[in-house]
Amino acid sequence: MTNTSTSPRPPVVVIAPDSFKGSLTAEEVASAIGAGIQAAIPGAQVRLRPIADGGEGTLDALMHAGGERLTISCRNAAGQFADAPVGILKDGSAVIESAAIVGLTDPAGTAIPVEQRSTLGLGDAMQKLLDRGARHFLVGLGGSSTNDGGAGLLAALGVKFFDAAGDAVAPQPALLHKVAKVDASGVDARIREAKIVAMSDVDNPLCGEIGATAVFGPQKGVTPEQVAPLDRALAHFAQVLEKEMGRSAAGSPGAGAAGGLGYALLMLGAQFRSGAETVADHIGLDDALAGADWLITGEGRSDAQTLHGKAPFIASQRARRAGVPTTLLSGGIDRKSLAELQGSFSGCFSIVFGPGSLQDAIADAPELLRASAEQIARLWQTAAGGK
């Protein structure tokens, strides 16, 4: 018998937000939005796909689909050993998040001046994952507190640095100008077998006016007076390193990511990729969008920078290719950027209902997300002809 019912089928809603940094993980944001959607449309099929762009929350987003989460001991930006999370995905890929090891929000790691911090801990993490058999690495580069050109990472993997007198030079930004000789003969041989993907939305070179120090250094504590000497030190370090390793990467897009950590990874043969694109591939965002009616994405705060490779923008681009409309639901929206944002999103909304403190907004974020998503879903249902 032919079904003559005219009742619309329940919508399929894909929810793919980034984390609200320092407040909620991407999975928590997605779950709260999902609860709001189902409160408004009980029969809705909700597909949660938390996303990230290589910064804080990348590990959580990638682990949403499953895998083994590990805690390892490695050095923070101040050189002190501390526990940090890493992961092994179902396909065997090892995930390292720079923000979780040498992050800008780590009070212990940032207790010393930026010119003394290093990325030794990233090398520690790679060594321990190599010991576990990992040969494919996904390294998220956002949110670091370091500006050492990745010298610490290289040192932890066996590269040695010397001054003109033959004395060892520690891999710290303040000392890189002393490096006169590099010995890369001791690099862990397993690194040569490994495939490394450096994930970031940053395409800056290592040095110069748009390099790591000039652009990102100030937010890490680099003073205006330090920018030029630290930038020159990185340029000098790169010149000596590249002569020894027979490879050039200082001018490559992404070399300036994470204070030059991107540069060190490129020198090890890494492939540089958009963090959001890489995460979208691994979480199966395109598959989730197949047959979907609506995508909701968002982040802690959206502005014009969102359109430069941030996770919500990449999600919206994937949805557009699939013919799925996208709504942006973020903690805050820069009003001056609305004209630019609405070119990529079918509606841009903030979860804040009225004046209040940032502390209250953070504390109430789950309920604010749920309530906002419910109201948007009611509007969407009405526009779609539902009741």
Side-chain angles (χ1 to χ4, degrees), residues 309-378:
K310 299 292 186 181
F313 175 71
I314 296 303
S316 74
Q317 295 296 99
R318 299 271 182 131
R320 177 172 291 182
R321 291 199 292 268
V324 178
T326 301
T327 295
L328 181 71
L329 179 59
S330 295
I333 302 283
D334 176 26
R335 180 175 58 84
K336 295 179 180 179
S337 299
L338 271 176
E340 295 173 81
L341 289 169
Q342 63 195 20
S344 297
F345 303 99
S346 301
C348 304
F349 301 88
S350 166
I351 67 172
V352 181
F353 282 79
S357 69
L358 176 61
Q359 291 76 14
D360 287 343
I362 291 173
D364 297 337
E367 175 55 25
L368 291 171
L369 280 161
R370 189 207 65 77
S372 298
E374 180 178 352
Q375 298 310 309
I376 293 172
R378 292 186 185 280

Short mmCIF file of all heavy atoms in Angstrom, two decimals, residues 309-378:
data_model
loop_
_atom_site.label_atom_id
_atom_site.label_comp_id
_atom_site.label_asym_id
_atom_site.label_seq_id
_atom_site.Cartn_x
_atom_site.Cartn_y
_atom_site.Cartn_z
N GLY A 309 39.96 30.25 7.97
CA GLY A 309 40.31 28.88 8.25
C GLY A 309 39.92 28.35 9.60
O GLY A 309 40.31 27.24 9.97
N LYS A 310 39.14 29.11 10.37
CA LYS A 310 38.68 28.61 11.67
C LYS A 310 37.67 27.48 11.46
O LYS A 310 37.05 27.34 10.41
CB LYS A 310 38.05 29.73 12.50
CG LYS A 310 38.99 30.88 12.83
CD LYS A 310 40.09 30.46 13.80
CE LYS A 310 40.93 31.65 14.24
NZ LYS A 310 42.02 31.26 15.16
N ALA A 311 37.50 26.68 12.52
CA ALA A 311 36.67 25.49 12.41
C ALA A 311 35.24 25.76 11.92
O ALA A 311 34.75 25.04 11.04
CB ALA A 311 36.65 24.75 13.75
N PRO A 312 34.53 26.77 12.44
CA PRO A 312 33.16 26.99 11.94
C PRO A 312 33.11 27.32 10.45
O PRO A 312 32.18 26.90 9.75
CB PRO A 312 32.67 28.18 12.79
CG PRO A 312 33.48 28.11 14.05
CD PRO A 312 34.83 27.65 13.60
N PHE A 313 34.09 28.06 9.97
CA PHE A 313 34.10 28.41 8.55
C PHE A 313 34.32 27.16 7.69
O PHE A 313 33.64 26.96 6.68
CB PHE A 313 35.20 29.43 8.27
CG PHE A 313 35.36 29.74 6.80
CD1 PHE A 313 34.40 30.49 6.13
CD2 PHE A 313 36.46 29.29 6.09
CE1 PHE A 313 34.53 30.77 4.77
CE2 PHE A 313 36.60 29.57 4.74
CZ PHE A 313 35.63 30.31 4.08
N ILE A 314 35.27 26.32 8.09
CA ILE A 314 35.52 25.09 7.33
C ILE A 314 34.28 24.21 7.34
O ILE A 314 33.91 23.62 6.31
CB ILE A 314 36.73 24.35 7.91
CG1 ILE A 314 38.01 25.18 7.75
CG2 ILE A 314 36.89 22.98 7.24
CD1 ILE A 314 38.35 25.60 6.33
N ALA A 315 33.61 24.11 8.49
CA ALA A 315 32.38 23.32 8.57
C ALA A 315 31.33 23.88 7.63
O ALA A 315 30.63 23.12 6.93
CB ALA A 315 31.86 23.30 10.01
N SER A 316 31.20 25.21 7.56
CA SER A 316 30.20 25.83 6.69
C SER A 316 30.52 25.58 5.22
O SER A 316 29.61 25.39 4.41
CB SER A 316 30.11 27.33 6.96
OG SER A 316 31.22 28.04 6.44
N GLN A 317 31.81 25.57 4.87
CA GLN A 317 32.21 25.31 3.49
C GLN A 317 31.87 23.88 3.09
O GLN A 317 31.41 23.62 1.97
CB GLN A 317 33.70 25.58 3.31
CG GLN A 317 34.10 27.03 3.49
CD GLN A 317 33.48 27.93 2.45
OE1 GLN A 317 32.46 28.58 2.70
NE2 GLN A 317 34.06 27.97 1.27
N ARG A 318 32.12 22.95 4.00
CA ARG A 318 31.77 21.55 3.73
C ARG A 318 30.25 21.41 3.55
O ARG A 318 29.78 20.68 2.67
CB ARG A 318 32.25 20.67 4.88
CG ARG A 318 33.76 20.68 5.12
CD ARG A 318 34.44 19.62 4.31
NE ARG A 318 35.88 19.58 4.54
CZ ARG A 318 36.56 18.47 4.81
NH1 ARG A 318 35.94 17.31 4.88
NH2 ARG A 318 37.88 18.51 4.98
N ALA A 319 29.50 22.12 4.40
CA ALA A 319 28.05 22.04 4.32
C ALA A 319 27.54 22.65 3.01
O ALA A 319 26.62 22.11 2.38
CB ALA A 319 27.42 22.76 5.51
N ARG A 320 28.14 23.75 2.60
CA ARG A 320 27.73 24.39 1.35
C ARG A 320 27.91 23.45 0.18
O ARG A 320 27.05 23.36 -0.71
CB ARG A 320 28.51 25.69 1.15
CG ARG A 320 28.20 26.39 -0.16
CD ARG A 320 28.84 27.76 -0.23
NE ARG A 320 28.21 28.68 0.71
CZ ARG A 320 28.54 29.95 0.84
NH1 ARG A 320 29.51 30.46 0.09
NH2 ARG A 320 27.93 30.72 1.71
N ARG A 321 29.04 22.74 0.16
CA ARG A 321 29.27 21.78 -0.93
C ARG A 321 28.25 20.66 -0.93
O ARG A 321 27.94 20.08 -1.98
CB ARG A 321 30.69 21.22 -0.84
CG ARG A 321 31.78 22.23 -1.15
CD ARG A 321 33.09 21.55 -1.49
NE ARG A 321 33.67 20.87 -0.36
CZ ARG A 321 34.55 21.41 0.47
NH1 ARG A 321 34.92 22.69 0.31
NH2 ARG A 321 35.07 20.73 1.47
N ALA A 322 27.72 20.35 0.28
CA ALA A 322 26.72 19.28 0.39
C ALA A 322 25.30 19.82 0.23
O ALA A 322 24.33 19.05 0.31
CB ALA A 322 26.86 18.59 1.75
N GLY A 323 25.15 21.14 0.00
CA GLY A 323 23.83 21.72 -0.17
C GLY A 323 23.06 21.86 1.14
O GLY A 323 21.82 21.87 1.14
N VAL A 324 23.80 21.99 2.25
CA VAL A 324 23.17 22.07 3.57
C VAL A 324 23.36 23.48 4.15
O VAL A 324 24.49 23.96 4.23
CB VAL A 324 23.80 21.03 4.53
CG1 VAL A 324 23.19 21.14 5.93
CG2 VAL A 324 23.61 19.62 3.98
N PRO A 325 22.28 24.16 4.56
CA PRO A 325 22.42 25.49 5.16
C PRO A 325 23.07 25.41 6.54
O PRO A 325 22.91 24.42 7.26
CB PRO A 325 20.98 26.00 5.26
CG PRO A 325 20.15 24.76 5.32
CD PRO A 325 20.87 23.75 4.47
N THR A 326 23.80 26.48 6.90
CA THR A 326 24.55 26.49 8.15
C THR A 326 24.16 27.68 9.02
O THR A 326 24.08 28.81 8.54
CB THR A 326 26.06 26.58 7.88
OG1 THR A 326 26.46 25.47 7.09
CG2 THR A 326 26.85 26.57 9.18
N THR A 327 23.94 27.40 10.29
CA THR A 327 23.69 28.44 11.28
C THR A 327 24.89 28.53 12.21
O THR A 327 25.42 27.51 12.65
CB THR A 327 22.43 28.14 12.11
OG1 THR A 327 21.29 28.17 11.24
CG2 THR A 327 22.24 29.17 13.21
N LEU A 328 25.32 29.76 12.51
CA LEU A 328 26.42 29.99 13.44
C LEU A 328 25.84 30.34 14.81
O LEU A 328 25.07 31.30 14.93
CB LEU A 328 27.30 31.14 12.93
CG LEU A 328 28.52 31.50 13.79
CD1 LEU A 328 29.58 30.40 13.71
CD2 LEU A 328 29.12 32.83 13.34
N LEU A 329 26.19 29.57 15.82
CA LEU A 329 25.75 29.82 17.20
C LEU A 329 26.98 29.86 18.09
O LEU A 329 27.56 28.82 18.41
CB LEU A 329 24.79 28.72 17.67
CG LEU A 329 24.26 28.84 19.10
CD1 LEU A 329 23.52 30.16 19.31
CD2 LEU A 329 23.38 27.66 19.46
N SER A 330 27.41 31.05 18.46
CA SER A 330 28.65 31.23 19.21
C SER A 330 28.40 31.93 20.54
O SER A 330 27.34 32.52 20.76
CB SER A 330 29.65 32.05 18.39
OG SER A 330 30.05 31.35 17.23
N GLY A 331 29.40 31.87 21.40
CA GLY A 331 29.28 32.56 22.68
C GLY A 331 29.09 34.04 22.48
O GLY A 331 28.28 34.69 23.16
N GLY A 332 29.83 34.62 21.55
CA GLY A 332 29.72 36.03 21.24
C GLY A 332 29.93 36.25 19.76
O GLY A 332 30.62 35.46 19.10
N ILE A 333 29.34 37.30 19.21
CA ILE A 333 29.49 37.65 17.79
C ILE A 333 29.94 39.11 17.72
O ILE A 333 29.34 39.99 18.35
CB ILE A 333 28.16 37.52 17.02
CG1 ILE A 333 27.60 36.10 17.12
CG2 ILE A 333 28.35 37.92 15.57
CD1 ILE A 333 28.27 35.07 16.26
N ASP A 334 30.98 39.37 16.96
CA ASP A 334 31.41 40.74 16.73
C ASP A 334 30.43 41.40 15.76
O ASP A 334 30.35 41.03 14.60
CB ASP A 334 32.83 40.75 16.14
CG ASP A 334 33.30 42.15 15.78
OD1 ASP A 334 32.81 43.12 16.38
OD2 ASP A 334 34.16 42.27 14.89
N ARG A 335 29.67 42.37 16.27
CA ARG A 335 28.64 43.01 15.45
C ARG A 335 29.21 43.62 14.18
O ARG A 335 28.59 43.58 13.12
CB ARG A 335 27.93 44.08 16.29
CG ARG A 335 26.82 44.82 15.55
CD ARG A 335 26.08 45.77 16.48
NE ARG A 335 26.99 46.73 17.08
CZ ARG A 335 27.38 47.87 16.49
NH1 ARG A 335 26.96 48.14 15.26
NH2 ARG A 335 28.19 48.71 17.10
N LYS A 336 30.42 44.17 14.27
CA LYS A 336 31.03 44.81 13.11
C LYS A 336 31.41 43.81 12.02
O LYS A 336 31.67 44.20 10.88
CB LYS A 336 32.25 45.61 13.53
CG LYS A 336 31.91 46.79 14.46
CD LYS A 336 33.17 47.54 14.86
CE LYS A 336 32.83 48.70 15.78
NZ LYS A 336 34.05 49.45 16.22
N SER A 337 31.46 42.53 12.38
CA SER A 337 31.84 41.51 11.41
C SER A 337 30.64 40.79 10.80
O SER A 337 30.81 39.88 9.98
CB SER A 337 32.76 40.46 12.08
OG SER A 337 33.94 41.05 12.56
N LEU A 338 29.42 41.18 11.20
CA LEU A 338 28.24 40.47 10.74
C LEU A 338 28.12 40.44 9.22
O LEU A 338 27.76 39.42 8.63
CB LEU A 338 26.98 41.10 11.34
CG LEU A 338 26.53 40.56 12.70
CD1 LEU A 338 25.34 41.35 13.21
CD2 LEU A 338 26.19 39.08 12.61
N ALA A 339 28.39 41.57 8.58
CA ALA A 339 28.25 41.62 7.12
C ALA A 339 29.14 40.59 6.44
O ALA A 339 28.74 39.98 5.44
CB ALA A 339 28.58 43.03 6.62
N GLU A 340 30.35 40.40 6.97
CA GLU A 340 31.26 39.40 6.41
C GLU A 340 30.82 37.99 6.77
O GLU A 340 30.83 37.08 5.93
CB GLU A 340 32.68 39.65 6.91
CG GLU A 340 33.28 40.97 6.46
CD GLU A 340 34.62 41.24 7.12
OE1 GLU A 340 35.62 40.68 6.65
OE2 GLU A 340 34.65 42.00 8.11
N LEU A 341 30.42 37.79 8.03
CA LEU A 341 30.06 36.45 8.49
C LEU A 341 28.83 35.90 7.78
O LEU A 341 28.78 34.72 7.43
CB LEU A 341 29.81 36.47 10.01
CG LEU A 341 31.03 36.66 10.90
CD1 LEU A 341 30.60 36.93 12.34
CD2 LEU A 341 31.94 35.44 10.85
N GLN A 342 27.85 36.75 7.54
CA GLN A 342 26.60 36.24 6.98
C GLN A 342 26.74 35.81 5.52
O GLN A 342 25.84 35.19 4.97
CB GLN A 342 25.48 37.25 7.15
CG GLN A 342 25.68 38.57 6.43
CD GLN A 342 24.71 39.64 6.94
OE1 GLN A 342 24.16 39.52 8.04
NE2 GLN A 342 24.49 40.67 6.15
N GLY A 343 27.90 36.08 4.92
CA GLY A 343 28.15 35.54 3.60
C GLY A 343 28.42 34.05 3.63
O GLY A 343 28.29 33.37 2.61
N SER A 344 28.78 33.53 4.80
CA SER A 344 29.09 32.10 4.94
C SER A 344 28.09 31.36 5.81
O SER A 344 28.10 30.12 5.83
CB SER A 344 30.49 31.93 5.55
OG SER A 344 31.48 32.45 4.68
N PHE A 345 27.24 32.09 6.53
CA PHE A 345 26.30 31.45 7.45
C PHE A 345 24.89 31.99 7.23
O PHE A 345 24.69 33.18 7.03
CB PHE A 345 26.72 31.71 8.90
CG PHE A 345 28.11 31.25 9.23
CD1 PHE A 345 29.16 32.16 9.25
CD2 PHE A 345 28.38 29.93 9.51
CE1 PHE A 345 30.46 31.75 9.53
CE2 PHE A 345 29.67 29.50 9.80
CZ PHE A 345 30.71 30.41 9.81
N SER A 346 23.92 31.08 7.30
CA SER A 346 22.51 31.47 7.18
C SER A 346 21.99 31.83 8.57
O SER A 346 21.20 31.11 9.17
CB SER A 346 21.70 30.32 6.58
OG SER A 346 22.19 29.96 5.31
N GLY A 347 22.47 32.93 9.08
CA GLY A 347 22.09 33.37 10.42
C GLY A 347 23.23 33.21 11.39
O GLY A 347 23.87 32.16 11.46
N CYS A 348 23.52 34.30 12.12
CA CYS A 348 24.60 34.31 13.12
C CYS A 348 24.01 34.72 14.45
O CYS A 348 23.40 35.80 14.57
CB CYS A 348 25.70 35.29 12.72
SG CYS A 348 26.41 34.97 11.08
N PHE A 349 24.17 33.89 15.48
CA PHE A 349 23.52 34.13 16.76
C PHE A 349 24.51 33.99 17.92
O PHE A 349 25.38 33.12 17.89
CB PHE A 349 22.36 33.14 16.97
CG PHE A 349 21.30 33.22 15.91
CD1 PHE A 349 21.40 32.47 14.75
CD2 PHE A 349 20.20 34.05 16.07
CE1 PHE A 349 20.42 32.53 13.77
CE2 PHE A 349 19.21 34.13 15.09
CZ PHE A 349 19.32 33.36 13.94
N SER A 350 24.32 34.83 18.92
CA SER A 350 25.06 34.72 20.18
C SER A 350 24.17 34.05 21.21
O SER A 350 22.93 34.22 21.19
CB SER A 350 25.47 36.11 20.67
OG SER A 350 25.90 36.05 22.02
N ILE A 351 24.76 33.30 22.13
CA ILE A 351 23.97 32.62 23.16
C ILE A 351 23.60 33.54 24.32
O ILE A 351 22.82 33.16 25.20
CB ILE A 351 24.72 31.39 23.72
CG1 ILE A 351 25.97 31.82 24.50
CG2 ILE A 351 25.07 30.42 22.61
CD1 ILE A 351 26.65 30.68 25.25
N VAL A 352 24.14 34.76 24.35
CA VAL A 352 23.90 35.67 25.46
C VAL A 352 22.56 36.38 25.26
O VAL A 352 22.32 37.00 24.23
CB VAL A 352 25.03 36.71 25.59
CG1 VAL A 352 24.76 37.63 26.77
CG2 VAL A 352 26.36 36.00 25.77
N PHE A 353 21.68 36.30 26.27
CA PHE A 353 20.33 36.86 26.16
C PHE A 353 20.25 38.32 26.62
O PHE A 353 19.28 39.00 26.35
CB PHE A 353 19.35 36.02 26.99
CG PHE A 353 18.95 34.74 26.31
CD1 PHE A 353 19.79 33.64 26.33
CD2 PHE A 353 17.75 34.64 25.63
CE1 PHE A 353 19.45 32.46 25.70
CE2 PHE A 353 17.39 33.47 24.99
CZ PHE A 353 18.24 32.37 25.02
N GLY A 354 21.23 38.78 27.34
CA GLY A 354 21.19 40.16 27.82
C GLY A 354 22.48 40.52 28.51
O GLY A 354 23.41 39.72 28.58
N PRO A 355 22.58 41.75 29.04
CA PRO A 355 23.79 42.19 29.72
C PRO A 355 24.13 41.27 30.90
O PRO A 355 23.24 40.77 31.59
CB PRO A 355 23.44 43.60 30.20
CG PRO A 355 22.34 44.04 29.30
CD PRO A 355 21.56 42.80 29.00
N GLY A 356 25.40 41.05 31.11
CA GLY A 356 25.84 40.22 32.22
C GLY A 356 27.35 40.11 32.21
O GLY A 356 28.02 40.59 31.28
N SER A 357 27.90 39.49 33.23
CA SER A 357 29.36 39.37 33.33
C SER A 357 29.85 38.19 32.51
O SER A 357 29.11 37.23 32.24
CB SER A 357 29.77 39.19 34.79
OG SER A 357 29.35 37.92 35.27
N LEU A 358 31.12 38.25 32.12
CA LEU A 358 31.74 37.14 31.40
C LEU A 358 31.73 35.89 32.28
O LEU A 358 31.49 34.78 31.79
CB LEU A 358 33.17 37.50 31.00
CG LEU A 358 33.99 36.41 30.32
CD1 LEU A 358 33.32 35.97 29.02
CD2 LEU A 358 35.41 36.89 30.06
N GLN A 359 31.99 36.07 33.56
CA GLN A 359 32.01 34.93 34.49
C GLN A 359 30.67 34.21 34.51
O GLN A 359 30.61 32.97 34.50
CB GLN A 359 32.39 35.40 35.90
CG GLN A 359 33.82 35.86 36.06
CD GLN A 359 34.08 37.24 35.47
OE1 GLN A 359 33.15 38.00 35.16
NE2 GLN A 359 35.35 37.59 35.30
N ASP A 360 29.58 34.97 34.54
CA ASP A 360 28.25 34.35 34.55
C ASP A 360 27.97 33.65 33.22
O ASP A 360 27.38 32.57 33.19
CB ASP A 360 27.17 35.41 34.80
CG ASP A 360 27.15 35.90 36.24
OD1 ASP A 360 27.74 35.22 37.11
OD2 ASP A 360 26.56 36.97 36.51
N ALA A 361 28.40 34.28 32.12
CA ALA A 361 28.18 33.66 30.80
C ALA A 361 28.91 32.33 30.69
O ALA A 361 28.38 31.36 30.15
CB ALA A 361 28.64 34.62 29.70
N ILE A 362 30.14 32.28 31.22
CA ILE A 362 30.91 31.04 31.19
C ILE A 362 30.25 29.99 32.07
O ILE A 362 30.09 28.82 31.67
CB ILE A 362 32.36 31.30 31.65
CG1 ILE A 362 33.10 32.14 30.60
CG2 ILE A 362 33.09 29.98 31.90
CD1 ILE A 362 34.48 32.58 31.03
N ALA A 363 29.82 30.39 33.26
CA ALA A 363 29.21 29.44 34.19
C ALA A 363 27.89 28.89 33.65
O ALA A 363 27.55 27.72 33.86
CB ALA A 363 28.97 30.12 35.54
N ASP A 364 27.15 29.73 32.94
CA ASP A 364 25.83 29.33 32.44
C ASP A 364 25.87 28.85 30.99
O ASP A 364 24.81 28.61 30.40
CB ASP A 364 24.86 30.52 32.54
CG ASP A 364 24.63 30.97 33.97
OD1 ASP A 364 24.83 30.16 34.88
OD2 ASP A 364 24.25 32.15 34.17
N ALA A 365 27.05 28.70 30.41
CA ALA A 365 27.16 28.38 28.98
C ALA A 365 26.35 27.17 28.54
O ALA A 365 25.68 27.23 27.50
CB ALA A 365 28.63 28.23 28.58
N PRO A 366 26.36 26.04 29.27
CA PRO A 366 25.58 24.89 28.79
C PRO A 366 24.09 25.20 28.64
O PRO A 366 23.47 24.85 27.64
CB PRO A 366 25.84 23.83 29.87
CG PRO A 366 27.16 24.20 30.45
CD PRO A 366 27.17 25.69 30.46
N GLU A 367 23.51 25.87 29.65
CA GLU A 367 22.09 26.19 29.59
C GLU A 367 21.81 27.26 28.53
O GLU A 367 20.79 27.22 27.83
CB GLU A 367 21.59 26.65 30.95
CG GLU A 367 20.14 27.12 30.97
CD GLU A 367 19.14 26.09 30.44
OE1 GLU A 367 19.43 24.87 30.48
OE2 GLU A 367 18.07 26.51 29.97
N LEU A 368 22.72 28.23 28.40
CA LEU A 368 22.56 29.25 27.37
C LEU A 368 22.59 28.63 25.98
O LEU A 368 21.81 29.02 25.09
CB LEU A 368 23.65 30.31 27.50
CG LEU A 368 23.59 31.22 28.73
CD1 LEU A 368 24.86 32.06 28.84
CD2 LEU A 368 22.36 32.13 28.66
N LEU A 369 23.49 27.69 25.77
CA LEU A 369 23.55 26.99 24.49
C LEU A 369 22.27 26.21 24.22
O LEU A 369 21.70 26.26 23.13
CB LEU A 369 24.75 26.04 24.47
CG LEU A 369 26.11 26.66 24.20
CD1 LEU A 369 27.22 25.73 24.66
CD2 LEU A 369 26.27 26.98 22.72
N ARG A 370 21.83 25.48 25.23
CA ARG A 370 20.61 24.67 25.06
C ARG A 370 19.41 25.55 24.74
O ARG A 370 18.64 25.28 23.80
CB ARG A 370 20.34 23.86 26.33
CG ARG A 370 19.22 22.82 26.16
CD ARG A 370 18.53 22.51 27.46
NE ARG A 370 17.84 23.69 27.97
CZ ARG A 370 16.67 24.14 27.50
NH1 ARG A 370 16.08 23.54 26.48
NH2 ARG A 370 16.12 25.21 28.03
N ALA A 371 19.24 26.63 25.53
CA ALA A 371 18.09 27.50 25.32
C ALA A 371 18.14 28.21 23.97
O ALA A 371 17.11 28.33 23.28
CB ALA A 371 18.02 28.54 26.46
N SER A 372 19.32 28.68 23.58
CA SER A 372 19.45 29.36 22.29
C SER A 372 19.18 28.41 21.14
O SER A 372 18.50 28.76 20.17
CB SER A 372 20.85 29.97 22.16
OG SER A 372 21.09 30.94 23.16
N ALA A 373 19.73 27.19 21.23
CA ALA A 373 19.52 26.21 20.18
C ALA A 373 18.04 25.86 20.06
O ALA A 373 17.51 25.69 18.94
CB ALA A 373 20.34 24.95 20.45
N GLU A 374 17.35 25.76 21.19
CA GLU A 374 15.92 25.45 21.15
C GLU A 374 15.15 26.55 20.42
O GLU A 374 14.28 26.27 19.58
CB GLU A 374 15.37 25.28 22.56
CG GLU A 374 13.88 24.96 22.57
CD GLU A 374 13.33 24.75 23.98
OE1 GLU A 374 14.12 24.71 24.94
OE2 GLU A 374 12.09 24.64 24.09
N GLN A 375 15.45 27.80 20.73
CA GLN A 375 14.73 28.90 20.09
C GLN A 375 15.02 28.97 18.58
O GLN A 375 14.13 29.21 17.78
CB GLN A 375 15.08 30.23 20.77
CG GLN A 375 14.70 30.30 22.24
CD GLN A 375 13.25 29.87 22.48
OE1 GLN A 375 12.32 30.37 21.83
NE2 GLN A 375 13.06 28.93 23.39
N ILE A 376 16.29 28.75 18.21
CA ILE A 376 16.64 28.75 16.79
C ILE A 376 15.94 27.60 16.07
O ILE A 376 15.45 27.74 14.94
CB ILE A 376 18.17 28.66 16.61
CG1 ILE A 376 18.84 29.93 17.13
CG2 ILE A 376 18.53 28.45 15.14
CD1 ILE A 376 20.35 29.85 17.17
N ALA A 377 15.86 26.44 16.74
CA ALA A 377 15.20 25.28 16.14
C ALA A 377 13.71 25.54 15.95
O ALA A 377 13.11 25.10 14.95
CB ALA A 377 15.41 24.04 17.00
N ARG A 378 13.08 26.23 16.89
CA ARG A 378 11.66 26.56 16.74
C ARG A 378 11.45 27.48 15.53
O ARG A 378 10.50 27.31 14.76
CB ARG A 378 11.14 27.20 18.02
CG ARG A 378 11.08 26.24 19.20
CD ARG A 378 10.43 26.86 20.42
NE ARG A 378 10.50 25.94 21.55
CZ ARG A 378 9.68 24.89 21.74
NH1 ARG A 378 8.73 24.65 20.84
NH2 ARG A 378 9.81 24.11 22.78
#
